[in-house]
Amino acid sequence: MRDTIFCVFSVLTTLVLAIVSLRYVTDFYLLSFFFSFQLHLAAAAALASLAALFVKRHWYGLLTLGTSLALAVHGIVMTREFAQPAVDDNRPVLFRLMSFNIENDNFANGAAIADMAIASGADVINILEAEPVLSELPRLLKTYPYYVGCGIGMQECDTLVLSKRPLIEPRIRSLGLLWRNRLTISTVDFDGHKVNFLTAHLTKPYYDEFYGLELEDLAAIAPTLPGPLVLAGDFNSSILTPGVQDLLRKQGFATVSVEPATWPIAASAFGIPIDHVFARAPLRLKSVRRIADSYGSNHFGLMAEFTIDP
């Protein structure tokens, strides 16, 4: 009986470790979902290995335990690669950004989301899957009179960018081949500092090769925007995904040392960060925090504070 239990634990652990380890061999799109969960799966495999060793002492249990710990440690190292140095608390905040995928059928909470956005103190707000707040737009425009999306630049109401200050040359682009008009490009002048904004809503990474094409489009657009640059939105992947890592590495984006988990809602702080706020020097992220209430969405929103190097 003990041999059977040990065998079951070992087989399941081996399958999990094999799937996660394939990231070092291939970036096959069907596996991208599992790559985002590398830390979670490695931790689960380590616990399963310990359970197997409790049932029966065997060298194979030690092997799977060691492999699990190695994958977990490397996952932490990979997230740290893109962590910018902490910003001094005394540095003044240049602007605040809110980014929130509110879910396109979340109409019951549209008014509450609009109330929260108005009271947030953010200078720029990104709302993705924004249809539920379309009816609230007149109220939002009293606080945020400048916007693009939801009738401005596109007929769809997926990506909506609101600003207290004028948006300089706002424009809409499509990413990849699957969805239209899911990228907004704009510039805002904050007291003489012109900051470029890319607001992106990427498809799910396991939808054929579309996700890779969207990342390629982002990689082509980012270098055309010189100076301070913010890239924010719903990536549907964590920064453990090889394609996202490649984008950040080549384009010089950084984030906070520990990104808040935004999905799934039920997992709360134990979920994964698939909604991101990235900054390119000389822009620095002073903080990124998760909005405590999901307001009926299947994502948590983010609030970020930025400063800029002298």
Side-chain angles (χ1 to χ4, degrees):
M1 182 66 177
R2 294 175 57 159
D3 289 344
T4 301
I5 295 174
F6 178 86
C7 184
V8 170
F9 273 120
S10 296
V11 168
L12 293 175
T13 304
T14 300
L15 288 173
V16 170
L17 294 176
I19 290 172
V20 176
S21 298
L22 281 171
R23 65 163 298 126
Y24 303 104
V25 180
T26 178
D27 190 15
F28 186 48
Y29 67 89
L30 286 178
L31 299 174
S32 293
F33 178 79
F34 300 102
F35 297 159
S36 287
F37 280 94
Q38 177 165 336
L39 289 173
H40 296 70
L41 293 175
L47 291 174
S49 298
L50 288 172
L53 287 169
F54 180 78
V55 173
K56 178 183 177 180
R57 293 182 181 179
H58 192 277
W59 65 267
Y60 193 77
L62 293 173
L63 176 63
T64 57
L65 177 60
T67 304
S68 303
L69 294 176
L71 288 172
V73 169
H74 189 232
I76 295 171
V77 169
M78 286 191 290
T79 60
R80 296 293 301 171
E81 177 185 351
F82 306 103
Q84 66 175 29
V87 175
D88 191 312
D89 288 340
N90 295 322
R91 291 275 294 274
V93 173
L94 181 63
F95 66 92
R96 293 175 177 85
L97 169 75
M98 187 179 86
S99 186
F100 194 1
N101 182 333
I102 65 172
E103 194 174 6
N104 56 12
D105 59 353
N106 189 17
F107 291 97
N109 293 284
I113 292 169
D115 290 338
M116 182 271 293
I118 292 168
S120 67
D123 298 283
V124 179
I125 294 179
N126 302 333
I127 300 180
L128 308 177
E129 300 190 23
E131 189 76 32
V133 297
L134 182 58
S135 62
E136 305 295 326
L137 197 54
R139 283 202 303 127
L140 287 165
L141 292 180
K142 292 179 181 178
T143 304
Y144 298 94
Y146 307 99
Y147 78 103
V148 62
C150 292
I152 300 294
M154 62 175 168
Q155 293 304 312
E156 302 91 336
C157 195
D158 181 275
T159 305
L160 174 65
V161 176
L162 299 154
S163 176
K164 290 180 177 178
R165 303 187 184 214
L167 296 174
I168 302 170
E169 296 182 0
R171 48 206 187 276
I172 305 289
R173 288 280 302 272
S174 295
L175 288 174
L177 301 173
L178 186 59
W179 303 108
R180 286 175 43 82
N181 300 330
R182 279 190 160 190
L183 177 71
T184 66
I185 308 168
S186 57
T187 304
V188 179
D189 190 320
F190 295 100
D191 302 325
H193 297 287
K194 288 186 177 181
V195 178
N196 297 305
F197 290 85
L198 287 174
T199 303
H201 185 188
L202 279 70
T203 190
K204 294 176 174 58
Y206 43 84
Y207 280 11
D208 209 320
E209 301 290 347
F210 294 112
Y211 193 78
L213 295 174
E214 292 174 349
L215 291 175
E216 288 178 9
D217 284 348
L218 283 175
I221 293 167
T224 68
L225 302 169
L229 177 60
V230 178
L231 171 59
D234 176 9
F235 278 63
N236 276 305
S237 289
S238 79
I239 59 173
L240 291 174
T241 304
V244 177
Q245 287 186 334
D246 189 58
L247 173 69
L248 301 187
R249 192 175 294 121
K250 290 182 178 178
Q251 303 304 323
F253 286 110
T255 186
V256 289
S257 57
V258 179
E259 289 188 292
T262 59
W263 181 89
I265 293 298
S268 189
F270 297 99
I272 60 173
I274 65 171
D275 302 88
H276 303 284
V277 180
F278 301 127
R280 188 178 69 191
L283 204 60
R284 306 283 181 185
L285 277 160
K286 190 171 183 179
S287 67
V288 178
R289 66 173 178 83
R290 189 177 70 183
I291 297 171
D293 194 331
S294 69
Y295 292 90
S297 174
N298 57 349
H299 293 241
F300 284 107
L302 296 173
M303 183 70 72
E305 294 183 328
F306 292 82
T307 186
I308 194 164
D309 291 338

